[in-house]
Amino acid sequence: MSEHLDWALSGFSGYLAVDELYDGPFCVLSAVDSPQQRRVLCEVLDHAPTHDDIRPFLMRLKEAIAARGGELRGITTDGSALYPIPLAEVVPAVPHQVCEFHVLKELTRAILHAVAGVRKKLKARVPALSRGRPRDNAAARRQVRKAKRIKQRVTDVFEHRHLFVRHALTTSQRATLSGLVRGEPILVALRAIMDEVYHLFDRRGRTDTALTKLVRLRRHVRRYRSLGRALDQLNAPNLEKALTFLDDRLVPSTSNAVERSNRRHRKMQKSVYRVRTKTNLEGRLALDLQRERQTTGRQATTKTLHKQRREE
């Protein structure tokens, strides 16, 4: 492990992504140097992690970095409640960034849930029709046309619900959305709220400016009492922590680096699903760390072989 730490922390960028991976009854804690895509430290637990497990893991990480002359400038995690308290105790001066992707995922889910609520209310407006063929009078025909029109509107809102959370809309998509929200102020407000959320994460802004916009957005959302608790995610503290990266351009806004390592581990485990012990997991991780150290040499060898084949 000492040899791997020497390699992983050589040229340490100062920015880490930390996450946990659950594999059956075990849990793997991992820390990855985000800009360099190097796994720095990992630990296998035989139980679900708690603050008492995260705290010593962070301490070992901090000591390993300090022993090699590195400096920790930022840590990115997902929205788990495992990290804020231990991070505040072990590295209180280091900015803590919550993964932007996880926060936006929860917000888009809340918006889509609110859209589904509006769709149900639309469906409730469908007039009750008598059984059989409509009567041959103007009022009955109007009721039938009204029912068809509302049912088609409900179907369109369902089929194009992704337009309410899509980041960038084309001209044709905006035209479609304009037809969907016509006469429905709540749908107009939901799309406007989603636009404001995306503006919060604009790299051209600063954290203080984004937090000011967030306060205005929260105040604006309170006007729509019909939404109820559908948009409670806008009041989550993780949303404020997800804006930390705006003040430091080098802080990764997502935890993709460590998630990528976790996906590689899951892929390896698929072939040995029944072989799952703590010793086996530690051996697999050690093999993965060795593979990472050899990546540069392997790429150089492949490049040389390709060059020789071209010359032949």
Side-chain angles (χ1 to χ4, degrees):
M1 181 58 73
S2 178
E3 179 185 353
H4 177 78
L5 284 172
D6 293 337
W7 170 81
L9 293 173
S10 60
F12 178 54
S13 67
Y15 301 95
L16 291 174
V18 180
D19 193 20
E20 75 280 0
L21 165 69
Y22 296 94
D23 192 356
F26 303 101
C27 177
V28 181
L29 301 177
S30 299
V32 175
D33 184 342
S34 297
Q36 299 203 46
Q37 301 291 316
R38 293 180 179 181
R39 179 143 43 184
V40 178
L41 192 65
C42 58
E43 179 181 352
V44 180
L45 305 175
D46 58 1
H47 57 274
T50 64
H51 290 168
D52 293 334
D53 298 306
I54 302 297
R55 197 176 294 108
F57 179 76
L58 293 175
M59 284 296 298
R60 286 195 297 275
L61 196 59
K62 179 182 176 182
E63 292 170 359
I65 294 171
R68 290 160 180 80
E71 180 184 0
L72 188 57
R73 300 188 180 94
I75 293 182
T76 303
T77 68
D78 59 10
S80 172
L82 286 171
Y83 303 103
I85 294 177
L87 284 173
E89 294 174 355
V90 178
V91 284
V94 176
H96 176 206
Q97 164 73 24
V98 172
C99 179
E100 174 188 354
F101 171 79
H102 287 83
V103 172
L104 286 176
K105 178 182 176 182
E106 294 300 325
L107 287 172
T108 53
R109 182 181 297 171
I111 293 290
L112 290 175
H113 180 72
V115 171
V118 175
R119 196 173 67 245
K120 290 179 181 178
K121 291 179 180 178
L122 279 173
K123 192 173 182 179
R125 297 180 196 170
V126 177
L129 302 176
S130 57
R131 298 180 63 180
R133 298 182 63 181
R135 296 178 181 178
D136 192 15
N137 59 67
R141 288 196 296 269
R142 280 197 300 270
Q143 287 292 86
V144 171
R145 288 196 298 268
K146 182 179 180 181
K148 288 183 177 179
R149 186 168 60 250
I150 295 177
K151 288 180 180 179
Q152 185 60 46
R153 184 82 173 276
V154 171
T155 301
D156 291 342
V157 171
F158 176 76
E159 290 183 353
H160 300 285
R161 62 192 182 279
H162 65 281
L163 297 180
F164 291 93
V165 295
R166 189 182 176 91
H167 192 181
L169 296 175
T170 64
T171 303
S172 61
Q173 287 172 341
R174 289 189 180 278
T176 302
L177 184 64
S178 177
L180 293 176
V181 303
R182 187 177 297 114
E184 296 295 334
I186 295 299
L187 292 180
V188 175
L190 288 174
R191 179 61 220 191
I193 290 169
M194 202 65 226
D195 286 334
E196 289 299 322
V197 168
Y198 285 129
H199 290 160
L200 294 176
F201 294 92
D202 192 338
R203 277 278 191 180
R204 294 171 293 182
R206 305 287 290 183
T207 302
D208 290 341
T209 306
L211 290 176
T212 303
K213 291 180 180 178
L214 179 58
V215 171
R216 290 201 301 266
L217 178 59
R218 286 170 172 170
R219 190 163 53 241
H220 177 69
V221 170
R222 288 195 209 103
R223 301 175 186 174
Y224 300 97
R225 296 182 180 180
S226 60
L227 293 176
R229 301 172 61 86
L231 297 183
D232 279 353
Q233 287 296 328
L234 285 172
N235 297 316
N238 280 342
L239 179 53
E240 298 175 357
K241 286 185 172 293
L243 301 172
T244 303
F245 73 101
L246 296 175
D247 279 344
D248 189 341
R249 305 298 180 183
L250 298 178
V251 173
S253 61
T254 68
S255 56
N256 284 347
V258 67
E259 294 283 355
R260 192 174 295 111
S261 298
N262 290 344
R263 284 194 295 272
R264 188 167 63 243
H265 175 82
R266 290 192 185 97
K267 187 175 181 180
M268 283 195 306
Q269 284 298 90
K270 281 184 178 180
S271 60
V272 289
Y273 186 80
R274 296 180 181 178
V275 185
R276 183 181 284 160
T277 63
K278 187 174 181 181
T279 303
N280 174 260
L281 288 179
E282 290 173 345
R284 281 272 174 173
L285 289 170
L287 185 64
D288 195 35
L289 296 180
Q290 182 182 19
R291 187 197 66 83
E292 285 189 10
R293 291 199 302 273
Q294 296 174 349
T295 298
T296 305
R298 187 164 59 249
Q299 290 176 344
T301 301
T302 303
K303 186 176 180 180
T304 302
L305 289 174
H306 287 173
K307 183 178 179 181
Q308 289 179 348
R309 288 173 181 173
R310 287 196 300 269
E311 290 176 353
E312 292 176 357

